[in-house]
Amino acid sequence: MKKLFTVFLVIIISGCSTTSNIKTEQQFKKSLKGYSSITIKIIADTDVMNNSDYNKVKENLLTSIGEKITPRTGLQHLPADNAADLSINVEVKSFVYTSQGARIMFGIMSGKAELNTDISLVENKTGKVLWKVHTDTSSKTSEGIFGGSTTTQIETLSDQIITHLQDSI
């Protein structure tokens, strides 16, 4: 009986890992060497914004992307209301919010986290789109309890965005 209980407990506590898919709709058109500053804009339609967890997702996206830009790309991160050379526009299309605490307490029973976005890099002076991708991140029941939270998905997404920016500098 103890073995059965232990197996059951391991299955319940096992959480999710983040699976991320990026579909590039438009490749980078030119090098970012001539640019010095960048801003981040997070938008969503009314249905998504009405989700009670939207502000958490928005703030986590702004923080996660913003903290990585300058150290990893050399571009100065400016607040959205300042004039920057470039804008990273993240449109949150849909999400299912799962907190890290819920993952730890309830494992797979806390649900499947999802985050779907459309991201574009825009040259602010001309309005020209330099890069555009669609992303889907979701969790699956295969790895530990720290993998499948929305916060983990946001970290994965922000790392991928910054890596793409680094590759074009």
Side-chain angles (χ1 to χ4, degrees):
M1 188 68 172
K2 282 185 177 182
K3 288 181 183 180
L4 182 60
F5 178 75
T6 303
V7 170
F8 180 71
L9 186 62
V10 168
I11 290 171
I12 294 297
I13 290 178
S14 294
C16 300
S17 65
T18 299
T19 303
S20 180
N21 299 306
I22 291 185
K23 178 184 172 195
T24 303
E25 296 175 22
Q26 180 178 326
Q27 299 287 341
F28 272 103
K29 291 189 172 186
K30 61 182 184 177
S31 170
L32 300 180
K33 287 186 191 247
Y35 301 101
S36 62
S37 59
I38 194 165
T39 191
I40 307 163
K41 297 177 184 172
I42 312 295
I43 59 171
D45 67 22
T46 306
D47 290 339
V48 173
M49 286 192 299
N50 285 336
N51 185 316
S52 61
D53 292 317
Y54 172 72
N55 286 330
K56 292 179 203 173
V57 171
K58 180 179 178 177
E59 287 305 312
N60 285 336
L61 280 165
L62 287 169
T63 301
S64 185
I65 297 168
E67 288 175 348
K68 295 174 180 139
I69 286 178
T70 301
R72 290 180 52 188
T73 67
L75 295 168
Q76 181 185 9
H77 174 231
L78 299 176
D81 56 353
N82 286 344
D85 297 333
L86 300 167
S87 290
I88 297 173
N89 299 331
V90 180
E91 181 179 3
V92 179
K93 302 299 275 181
S94 64
F95 70 93
V96 175
Y97 189 86
T98 303
S99 71
Q100 192 67 50
R103 297 253 34 98
I104 292 169
M105 291 180 66
F106 304 112
I108 61 174
M109 294 182 345
S110 65
K112 181 178 177 178
E114 295 179 11
L115 178 63
N116 303 309
T117 65
D118 284 338
I119 301 168
S120 59
L121 180 68
V122 177
E123 182 180 59
N124 288 334
K125 189 181 224 180
T126 64
K128 186 176 180 182
V129 175
L130 303 177
W131 176 59
K132 187 171 185 176
V133 296
H134 175 78
T135 67
D136 292 311
T137 60
S138 62
S139 55
K140 61 182 181 176
T141 55
S142 66
E143 291 187 7
I145 59 177
F146 299 107
S149 71
T150 302
T151 304
T152 304
Q153 292 177 342
I154 289 171
E155 284 299 317
T156 300
L157 179 63
S158 67
D159 281 336
Q160 291 174 336
I161 292 168
I162 299 302
T163 298
H164 278 73
L165 290 175
Q166 283 177 294
D167 291 347
S168 67
I169 290 180

